[in-house]
Amino acid sequence: MENVSTEVKMESFQAFQSTIRKSENALANMSQKGSNTTLLDKRLNALYIGLAMLETAWNHKPGHYTEEDLTEARNVLAGLLPLLDNMYGKSKTGSPQKTLIERRIKAFELAVQAMDDVVKK
């Protein structure tokens, strides 16, 4: 995790923050409509933990998650990677959408790696 460039770190933080914002907005809309939000709640929690794990790994901010929390978040983020890969394959080369998905994939992979590193210790 130490060999990650400053640019990739910033892009990863931004990718998580953007995904969290979009998920929070979707959650608010779904709640207003009375929709089931269980899956989105789970994903949003995984996003919060993923961002926190990158901050822990790179900025040495203390983490406060249990091994169970990390394992669940890791599985959720890892489960989203095939969906992102599929979206990436369908997006146009050079499009902003493709760049966004590429950065999101990298951020999720790094967060999963950070969680794996903590759980192994």
Side-chain angles (χ1 to χ4, degrees), residues 6-43:
T6 302
E7 181 180 1
V8 170
K9 289 178 184 179
M10 293 307 301
E11 288 172 353
S12 295
F13 286 138
Q14 291 169 350
F16 264 99
Q17 291 163 346
S18 170
T19 307
I20 288 169
R21 268 192 316 276
K22 289 178 182 187
S23 296
E24 288 172 340
N25 289 336
L27 183 63
N29 290 334
M30 289 175 69
S31 295
Q32 283 180 339
K33 294 177 184 175
S35 301
N36 185 342
T37 61
T38 305
L39 179 61
L40 189 53
D41 285 327
K42 196 175 199 178
R43 286 182 178 176

Side-chain angles (χ1 to χ4, degrees), residues 24-25 32 40 42 44 48-49 56 81 89 93 119:
E24 288 172 340
N25 289 336
Q32 283 180 339
L40 189 53
K42 196 175 199 178
L44 192 54
Y48 290 137
I49 293 172
T56 297
L81 288 171
T93 303
V119 172

Side-chain angles (χ1 to χ4, degrees), residues 20-119:
I20 288 169
R21 268 192 316 276
K22 289 178 182 187
S23 296
E24 288 172 340
N25 289 336
L27 183 63
N29 290 334
M30 289 175 69
S31 295
Q32 283 180 339
K33 294 177 184 175
S35 301
N36 185 342
T37 61
T38 305
L39 179 61
L40 189 53
D41 285 327
K42 196 175 199 178
R43 286 182 178 176
L44 192 54
N45 188 51
L47 292 168
Y48 290 137
I49 293 172
L51 177 59
M53 292 311 299
L54 292 182
E55 289 176 339
T56 297
W58 295 331
N59 297 336
H60 308 292
K61 290 188 176 182
H64 58 280
Y65 296 102
T66 66
E67 188 172 326
E68 183 180 325
D69 290 337
L70 293 176
T71 300
E72 184 174 333
R74 183 219 179 276
N75 291 338
V76 169
L77 292 178
L80 291 172
L81 288 171
L83 298 172
L84 290 171
D85 284 335
N86 187 25
M87 290 169 54
Y88 182 79
K90 292 180 181 179
S91 58
K92 293 181 182 178
T93 303
S95 70
Q97 186 68 20
K98 193 163 192 121
T99 302
L100 175 74
I101 296 167
E102 188 176 277
R103 290 176 181 170
R104 195 169 286 168
I105 289 169
K106 183 68 175 171
F108 285 15
E109 289 172 342
L110 289 168
V112 166
Q113 182 183 348
M115 289 178 213
D116 287 344
D117 290 348
V118 169
V119 172

